[in-house]
Amino acid sequence: MDVKSPQKPAVDVAGAESFVPLVPDPRLRLLAFLLLLTAMFMATLDNQIVSTALPTIVGEFGELERFAWVGSAYLLTTSAVMPLYGKLGDLFGRKYVIMAAVAIFTLGSLVCGMAISMDTLIAARVLQALGGGGIMVSIFSINADLFEARERARYQSYASLVLMASGAVGPVLGGTLSDLFGWRSIFLVNLPIGILVLCGLAFLLPYRKPHRRPKIDYAGALLLAGAVASVVLWADSAQIFGSLVAPQSLAVVGFGLACALGWVFVERRVDEPVVPLSLFANPTVNLLLVISLVSGAIGIGSVNYVALFLQTTTGLSPTVAGLFFIALTGGIATGSLAAGRVISRTGLYKPFAVASTATGVVSMAIFSQLHAGTPLFFIAAVMLLQGIGVGIGQQVPVIGVQNAAARGDVGAATGTVTLTRMSGAAIAISIYGAIIGSRLAGAAVELPGGVDFRELTPRVMASLPEASRAAIAEVYADAFFPLFLTASGIVGLGLVAALLLKNVRLPVAGKAARH
């Protein structure tokens, strides 16, 4: 059923548009929001659920050298298409754009489940990501149509919980499904979910036609996709090409710079740029994009290295180390829900940006001082602190940028802020990897049989004599010192940006923002 929304944004006496929700009935609006969260959970869960099934997939297909590309291809494509989907929603209306994204993702999941080789699986992951990137951006954009600015803060905190839940449940669910039903089930399980979401959105989500003539900026979209893909590919080039400064890596950098310059040249001359350059004329938007970049570095980029720190310096097994992330995810949940409610009530988001980045600086600085003998309860407490910091600031960039952007550019603005978060994670991962790789390269630990300590699994490491385990733990702790200190410095840049923000108060429906 194609329901056209009969309501257009009303205009108040001052000439400004007042907010009219896309779905007027509160109960139907909540149901539509739950469908959107289901789509988000499906898309974000997928990259997590694959991680524990990858060894099984490699066992069937072989080609271990292509192992990383099953995940990298998804991240690369998702990042490249995010800005385009945001703009398409602004031009054509968000209903059909998100339905297309869900349909592509569901089709990609089916093709993944039918893959016959590692190459076909990687190609299917690219198809899947073409939909996954659109789901993420479209959902945040539709939230801006469903809920007015203050109410949106509360509901976006629930979206943050979905992101947290997918990260916590994904690895466990991936391993369980692979053991019980085979690795193909981790993809095929998306089919009934995707069909349910499509049917629900078709009936519940009205179509609000934008009051503008659609013109697609094909050249700008391709150039921006090339620039973004280059950033993500370069961030992974140490693993792919052997070094961040290998000739192939530098060629990727050169290609990305050429695409970026070409994109700026094109966007200045087209009527409907995929990302309006006018966004960057707003100081608030620029500061929020810096905060989003940093939040990706601390909220996504550092997580794998915290896990590695736990397993190499404490002697914990992967399973027990994973339990420590309950503290991190619990902190994110607590911080996100509390911040969402307070922002909804007060309309102020700057204090949470400042508190989030300040907490990130402190938690990463504390991590840099931890040593191999640090009590486990203290490590859990620091992880809880880090989680609270991430949670209270997770939704600030999206809410702030949507409030600062023109109504007709909300989708493009949302795509841009989501993209910067992903880019921040990719860049941070490359920086962290380079730091710990260089520190470990010069380290030496004498082990029986001349075994290289860098190649030991946590299980093998736990079986070593106590003296050998302690020596390896100290080497890793020393390597993590500059990594966490660098992470603290990166978040410090976000703190500066947060302090420079104007103390904007989000408007109540139909009223302008106040400073």
Side-chain angles (χ1 to χ4, degrees):
M1 184 173 81
D2 181 16
V3 181
K4 286 195 176 182
S5 176
Q7 298 171 317
K8 298 178 182 179
V11 179
D12 61 22
V13 293
E17 287 187 353
S18 61
F19 181 80
V20 177
L22 183 63
V23 181
D25 187 300
R27 289 173 297 181
L28 293 180
R29 192 185 314 147
L30 180 59
L31 188 55
F33 179 68
L34 291 175
L35 279 172
L36 295 174
L37 290 188
T38 302
M40 174 183 281
F41 184 75
M42 178 178 68
T44 55
L45 177 73
D46 200 75
N47 220 29
Q48 304 292 338
I49 203 173
V50 168
S51 60
T52 45
L54 276 176
T56 305
I57 295 172
V58 172
E60 179 173 331
F61 290 149
E63 300 186 73
L64 180 61
E65 68 278 4
R66 297 177 182 269
F67 176 94
W69 274 104
V70 177
S72 296
Y74 190 88
L75 178 62
L76 195 71
T77 308
T78 300
S79 302
V81 300
M82 277 181 174
L84 178 59
Y85 270 104
K87 188 63 179 180
L88 289 175
D90 289 337
L91 291 176
F92 296 101
R94 309 197 205 284
K95 174 175 181 173
Y96 296 126
V97 170
I98 190 170
M99 288 183 67
V102 173
I104 293 170
F105 181 87
T106 305
L107 177 62
S109 299
L110 175 62
V111 179
C112 284
M114 298 172 64
I116 58 174
S117 68
M118 190 65 83
D119 285 339
T120 57
L121 178 60
I122 292 170
R125 290 284 283 168
V126 170
L127 176 62
Q128 197 183 32
L130 288 173
I135 290 173
M136 292 296 297
V137 172
S138 298
I139 285 171
F140 284 118
S141 300
I142 292 172
N143 282 348
D145 291 337
L146 290 174
F147 308 106
E148 57 91 14
R150 291 202 186 188
E151 191 182 18
R152 193 184 314 149
R154 186 169 76 253
Y155 282 94
Q156 303 235 116
S157 69
Y158 301 144
S160 298
L161 289 182
V162 169
L163 294 173
M164 176 210 70
S166 66
V169 172
V172 177
L173 187 59
T176 303
L177 287 175
S178 295
D179 289 340
L180 294 178
F181 307 108
W183 66 264
R184 297 178 190 274
S185 64
I186 69 174
F187 298 111
L188 297 178
V189 73
N190 291 327
L191 269 61
I193 300 174
I195 293 171
L196 173 66
V197 170
L198 276 174
C199 294
L201 292 178
F203 281 92
L204 288 175
L205 198 65
Y207 173 60
R208 179 180 284 173
K209 185 178 180 181
H211 301 288
R212 61 206 294 182
R213 184 179 178 184
K215 284 187 177 180
I216 301 177
D217 175 20
Y218 293 105
L222 287 173
L223 288 168
L224 181 58
V228 172
S230 297
V231 171
V232 180
L233 183 59
W234 176 79
D236 216 18
S237 61
Q239 184 174 6
I240 298 170
F241 303 126
S243 170
L244 292 175
V245 293
Q248 300 96 319
S249 303
L250 297 179
V252 169
V253 173
F255 176 76
L257 288 174
C259 287
L261 292 173
W263 173 73
V264 172
F265 179 82
V266 168
E267 299 301 83
R268 286 178 172 175
R269 288 161 175 77
V270 295
D271 295 330
E272 288 286 358
V274 65
V275 177
L277 295 181
S278 59
L279 276 177
F280 304 107
N282 187 327
T284 297
V285 171
N286 290 328
L287 292 171
L288 287 166
L289 290 180
V290 172
I291 295 170
S292 180
L293 197 75
V294 165
S295 72
I298 187 70
I300 302 174
S302 68
V303 171
N304 287 342
Y305 290 94
V306 172
L308 182 62
F309 173 84
L310 281 171
Q311 293 180 52
T312 55
T313 64
T314 64
L316 297 176
S317 68
T319 301
V320 177
L323 293 177
F324 272 68
F325 281 85
I326 295 174
L328 181 67
T329 54
I332 293 174
T334 302
S336 181
L337 288 174
R341 293 182 182 279
V342 176
I343 293 173
S344 178
R345 187 170 65 250
T346 65
L348 298 173
Y349 60 78
K350 176 180 176 176
F352 294 94
V354 173
S356 174
T357 48
T359 304
V361 169
V362 172
S363 62
M364 289 295 102
I366 295 174
F367 261 121
S368 73
Q369 301 303 310
L370 301 184
H371 52 82
T374 302
L376 296 179
F377 76 87
F378 186 78
I379 296 176
V382 180
M383 293 178 71
L384 176 65
L385 178 66
Q386 180 194 1
I388 292 173
V390 171
I392 60 180
Q394 196 167 37
Q395 58 191 300
V396 166
V398 173
I399 292 172
V401 168
Q402 287 179 342
N403 184 64
R407 187 72 187 165
D409 292 328
V410 165
T414 304
T416 303
V417 75
T418 308
L419 171 64
T420 56
R421 181 173 168 83
M422 298 294 291
S423 299
I427 294 169
I429 286 171
S430 72
I431 293 173
Y432 301 153
I435 290 173
I436 199 165
S438 64
R439 297 283 292 196
L440 292 177
V445 178
E446 291 187 9
L447 296 175
V451 177
D452 188 344
F453 76 95
R454 288 172 287 263
E455 298 177 357
L456 297 177
T457 65
R459 178 175 295 181
V460 174
M461 198 180 301
S463 67
L464 294 173
E466 178 61 31
S468 298
R469 283 204 311 270
I472 293 173
E474 285 298 334
V475 168
Y476 272 103
D478 290 342
F480 275 106
F481 167 73
L483 186 153
F484 287 129
L485 208 58
T486 300
S488 181
I490 291 173
V491 187
L493 297 176
L495 175 58
V496 172
L499 290 170
L500 293 174
L501 281 172
K502 291 181 180 179
N503 199 24
V504 174
R505 187 182 295 274
L506 296 174
V508 179
K511 297 182 181 180
R514 291 187 288 125
H515 299 260

